[in-house]
Amino acid sequence: LGQYNCPSGSQYCHQWDYTVQNYVMTKGGDTMELSRLITPYANSGWSRFGSSWQQPYVFDVTDFYPLLKDTAGIRIHYSGYSGGFTADIKFAFIEGTPDRNVTGIKQLYDFSHSYVDASDPINNYFPTITDTAPSGTESAILKYIVTGHGNDNNGCCEFAAHSYDVNLNGNTIASKTLWRDDCGLNELYPQGGTWVYERGNWCPGALVRPIYHNLPGITAGNPFAINIQFESYTGSGSLGSYTSNAIVFFHGAFNKTLDASLDEILAPTTNPDHYRENPSGSIPQVLVHNSGADSITKIDFSYGVKDSTMRSYTWNGSLAPLADTIISLPALSELTNMSIAGVSGTHQFNVQIDGVNGTTDEDSTNNKLTSDFTISPVWPGDVILTLKTS
């Protein structure tokens, strides 16, 4: 996402939180939403914004790989009332083996509709969908991207929390309240406007987090019936709405039995996705994913600053298949010493997985990461904080 200077006299130029949806369109006619983000309040005059400002948003779209080949169109849909933003999409095709093969993709719903109009209920737009799992399917998962917009007299749907159920074969298998309560911790800060306020499953300037629901009992050749139903609600005033996109992914068996994947370095890094946590102190943090069928109870790491001695650490815990966890590595004295010495410039941090559950895991291609970082400043012993309200 980027920004440009609007012509003089333009109204609301890069001022508001607008929805951006990214779609893939195939030759077969499929149009599916890959990802969604919301633009920030970027007219505040804060130093982070300006005509050269850019912000990356990274989405894992591995499960769409059957569509991301041969020829496909990519569409960025910007639903803003005013201009001021630019956008482009880049794909990083990573060599390797996915956690599971995708045996099929089924889009259930893709629409935006009022939630507060009793004469035209939103649940009419969530009909029950029937299908049969394709050959090779051993499991299925529902990916739901949904955001609440507009306001009635009760703040629905941007500033009000409401819930929905997922029904499979006549049984409710999941219930979820749509609410994002961490907007004040936004990595893209500070902004203007009401960016700190909690909202209906989104925050200004942040990517929209998909909601995943496992669909038990769906295997090859088995018919199933599924739908989503929102809780009953009748509002008043202007009509708030929810923008919904729901897709079922059918998966085959796990391709690996034992595999830990280093997915991200959270600290130390200059990655703007982790702007709040950096520059960090002396404790590195990494995000690890279990890409195999077996649970992980032990991971051996080596890590350190480039051109220094690598340290060793063994993490013990419990990481279920397909789950993620943030692991804090023991403090690095090199980071502390570099801060005390006032070392400037950009440096490199290295981390790798050396062993999993006491042995070597099956995929070495996802066991190493590096990051660029800057040293955290050293503050005096007495710090005075002055709080100024708006």
Side-chain angles (χ1 to χ4, degrees):
L1 191 67
Q3 186 174 321
Y4 65 89
N5 293 325
C6 293
S8 178
S10 299
Q11 189 178 35
Y12 306 135
C13 180
H14 42 67
Q15 183 171 345
W16 295 104
D17 37 8
Y18 296 127
T19 304
V20 179
Q21 295 166 280
N22 303 308
Y23 290 94
V24 57
M25 300 177 293
T26 70
K27 290 187 296 184
D30 298 318
T31 300
M32 296 192 180
E33 185 173 350
L34 296 171
S35 60
R36 188 181 304 178
L37 61 94
I38 309 293
T39 62
Y41 290 91
N43 71 326
S44 61
W46 297 104
S47 59
R48 289 196 71 182
F49 296 111
S51 58
S52 62
W53 167 79
Q54 290 186 333
Q55 178 77 5
Y57 296 85
V58 180
F59 303 90
D60 184 349
V61 293
T62 302
D63 277 349
F64 288 97
Y65 77 79
L67 304 179
L68 299 175
K69 62 182 181 179
D70 302 326
T71 300
I74 301 298
R75 177 188 180 202
I76 305 173
H77 176 67
Y78 170 72
S79 60
Y81 166 79
S82 60
F85 292 103
T86 65
D88 65 63
I89 293 180
K90 299 177 181 178
F91 288 91
F93 291 92
I94 302 171
E95 184 178 359
T97 303
D99 297 356
R100 299 166 294 176
N101 293 339
V102 174
T103 60
I105 304 174
K106 174 75 174 181
Q107 180 158 269
L108 302 181
Y109 313 109
D110 183 33
F111 68 90
S112 181
H113 187 71
S114 167
Y115 182 47
V116 301
D117 185 359
S119 65
D120 191 17
I122 193 172
N123 283 335
N124 289 348
Y125 295 81
F126 290 111
T128 298
I129 306 295
T130 59
D131 201 357
T132 299
S135 175
T137 299
E138 293 198 6
S139 62
I141 192 168
L142 170 64
K143 178 185 180 182
Y144 188 29
I145 303 178
V146 55
T147 47
H149 304 278
N151 289 284
D152 68 355
N153 293 339
N154 298 317
C156 183
C157 296
E158 180 173 346
F159 296 108
H162 291 279
S163 63
Y164 67 87
D165 294 335
V166 178
N167 302 310
L168 180 65
N169 297 329
N171 299 311
T172 299
I173 62 166
S175 297
K176 178 72 175 180
T177 298
L178 294 174
W179 196 239
R180 183 85 180 259
D181 63 0
D182 58 353
C183 290
L185 298 177
N186 202 320
E187 299 288 350
L188 183 53
Y189 84 103
Q191 298 178 34
T194 59
W195 66 275
V196 297
Y197 289 6
E198 300 171 350
R199 282 175 165 84
N201 204 44
W202 60 273
C203 298
L207 58 81
V208 177
R209 300 167 180 164
I211 302 168
Y212 292 95
H213 298 289
N214 289 317
L215 303 177
I218 295 182
T219 56
N222 289 335
F224 65 92
I226 187 172
N227 79 334
I228 291 173
Q229 291 286 282
F230 272 67
E231 64 178 349
S232 298
Y233 173 73
T234 301
S236 59
S238 60
L239 302 183
S241 64
Y242 281 104
T243 300
S244 292
N245 180 272
I247 296 175
V248 172
F249 292 97
F250 303 95
H251 293 113
F254 278 91
N255 289 320
K256 294 170 283 190
T257 301
L258 181 64
D259 181 49
S261 171
L262 265 175
D263 279 11
E264 281 191 273
I265 296 173
L266 309 183
T269 182
T270 55
N271 185 342
D273 286 343
H274 307 296
Y275 182 82
R276 279 189 178 273
E277 295 81 13
N278 291 276
S280 66
S282 59
I283 299 178
Q285 283 192 324
V286 295
L287 178 69
V288 177
H289 174 74
N290 184 352
S291 299
D294 288 354
S295 294
I296 294 174
T297 58
K298 178 181 177 182
I299 304 176
D300 299 318
F301 293 95
S302 56
Y303 63 102
V305 177
K306 182 181 178 181
D307 299 327
S308 68
T309 302
M310 296 287 281
R311 307 296 179 89
S312 298
Y313 171 68
T314 298
W315 172 85
N316 293 282
S318 180
L319 187 61
L322 304 177
D324 300 324
T325 189
I326 295 175
I327 296 177
S328 297
L329 304 173
L332 272 179
S333 58
E334 288 84 357
L335 296 176
T336 302
N337 295 336
M338 292 170 76
S339 289
I340 294 173
V343 176
S344 60
T346 301
H347 308 273
Q348 182 176 301
F349 173 76
N350 301 318
V351 59
Q352 68 181 47
I353 292 175
D354 298 320
V356 179
N357 289 358
T359 186
T360 302
D361 71 359
E362 297 176 36
D363 189 351
S364 62
T365 65
N366 55 23
N367 285 353
K368 294 183 180 181
L369 283 179
T370 65
S371 65
D372 293 331
F373 71 95
T374 56
I375 292 298
S376 58
V378 176
W379 298 99
D382 294 326
V383 177
I384 299 175
L385 302 180
T386 303
L387 175 64
K388 295 182 179 180
T389 69
S390 59

